[in-house]
Amino acid sequence: MRREHSGACVPLRCSSLPLGCPSPLRSRKEGRAPSHPSPLCPESQPTTSDETVVTGGTVVLKCQVEDPDDSSLQWSNPAQQTLYFGEKRALRDNRIQLEKSTPNELTISISDVVLSDEGEYTCSLFTMPVRTAKALVTVLGVPQKPQIFGHEQPIDEEKLARLTCRSSGSKPAAQLRWRKGNKELKGGCPNPCTEVVEDPNGKTFTVSSRVEFRVTKEDNEAEVTCTVDHESLQNAERSTTQKLQVHYKPTAKIEPHPQYPREGEKLQLQCDGQGNPIPQEFLWEKEGSDAPLQLSSDSVLIFPFLNKSDSGTYVCTATSSMGSVVAKYNLDVSDASPVPSTSSTYHAVIGGVVAVIVFLLLSLLIVLGHYLIRHKGTYLTHEAKGSDDAPDADTAIINAEGGQAGGDDKKEYFI
């Protein structure tokens, strides 16, 4: 934030007048009324602006004048100590540096600003009389990260949760807001109720906010967030999140393993207890039986070898510090499943092998028969050889014998 200021004439002596300003006496001698006293020579008035800075930051103070009239500019702090006179350093503080020094401007900077740097700084133009302009420097105290109290111990279901959020070091006082999960916790005092206390340094403030709300088991492990809002954070969120621990009554259900028990098998009944805290004691009973079956921290009831007589309703009572809960299971033992013998298994294997062999033999016979059928037409008897040109069977036989003899003669000829 910046606000500009024009300076004012500050007389050094009663007879002193600003340079270049008309004298009232001379005006009367000339028969003219004196000029209006404010402002005197506005063109020679120094101008400054108010500045706001965060602790640890840097502030720049600029003093300008349009017509310096060969006069010097000077910056002084709220304690009226001279910081710079023109380009000359007057106060030995390495945080204060000269940024620009001309006849028309004197600009300095202060780094690592602290709260004590706040106040009115004065820019002086050494004319006759001296003209000054003020610059108000406002230092913002940055709030510390908020802390949440009241969540250290678990909260019982349906009871009130009372939480406090606190942040110190803010200037001006910061604002605190609450959120549970994605839902904002709203309400006027006392829900939430905000308290502002001044810190021992007399400059910053500690802000506390209290909130109350009734919890359910769904709030277990829920995140509660406290956020501090302050102009020094420049829209950056600074917050703290804590998880709630809610104690609630247990729940239970019975799970069988295996799911469909048969006679002669092993059975385990698992009493699955849930809650916060988790149940630590399990009581097993059978309806119609006087004595309990089992009381321990073990949630499993084991039947090594089921019998038909084990059928019935079994009750598990799970207990925690928040109370007890009862779960029931109706056990119906089925008949034993038939167990295949070793001999029948052996016979099944032998039968499978024989079937494969028979299938292979049949496949071989089919392939062989197909082959013989395709080559049957290539075989010719003697009668067939002579029947090509014979008109009857007798002639065919004679032709076949003659053909054979001719063939033998032919073979003898070549030999």
Side-chain angles (χ1 to χ4, degrees), residues 22 132 146 257 321 332-333 344 387:
T132 61
H257 303 281
S321 61
D332 184 13
V333 180
S344 61
S387 65

Side-chain angles (χ1 to χ4, degrees), residues 222-240:
E223 292 185 343
V224 177
T225 303
C226 177
T227 302
V228 57
D229 294 324
H230 196 262
E231 54 185 305
S232 65
L233 300 177
Q234 299 177 353
N235 299 325
E237 185 174 283
R238 180 166 293 184
S239 60
T240 296

Side-chain angles (χ1 to χ4, degrees), residues 5 7 10 37 44 74 92 94 109 115 153 201 219 252 254 261 287 318 320 332 337 381 406 413:
H5 296 279
V10 178
S44 299
Q74 170 188 286
R92 292 184 178 180
N94 292 330
S109 64
L115 292 172
Q153 298 298 326
N201 58 21
D219 292 323
I254 299 176
E287 288 187 351
S320 72
D332 184 13
S337 58
T381 62
Y413 175 82

Side-chain angles (χ1 to χ4, degrees), residues 3 29 49 68 74 92 130 155 157 167 199 219-220 235 249-251 253 284 316 318 327 349 385 405:
R3 186 175 61 191
K29 287 182 179 179
S49 60
Q74 170 188 286
R92 292 184 178 180
V130 176
I155 308 167
E157 183 181 16
S167 175
D199 292 335
D219 292 323
N220 187 47
N235 299 325
K249 293 181 180 180
T251 60
K253 63 178 179 178
W284 283 97
C316 171
V349 173
K385 291 179 180 179

Side-chain angles (χ1 to χ4, degrees), residues 64 91 119 134 136 158 207 220 274 343 369 394:
Q64 294 177 311
L91 186 66
K134 302 289 186 179
L136 177 62
E158 300 300 331
V207 183
N220 187 47
Q274 300 294 328
S343 60
D394 294 337

Side-chain angles (χ1 to χ4, degrees), residues 156 246-250 273-280 319-323:
D156 290 347
V246 179
H247 279 179
Y248 55 91
K249 293 181 180 180
Q274 300 294 328
N276 189 23
I278 296 176
Q280 297 296 322
T319 303
S320 72
S321 61
M322 292 299 294

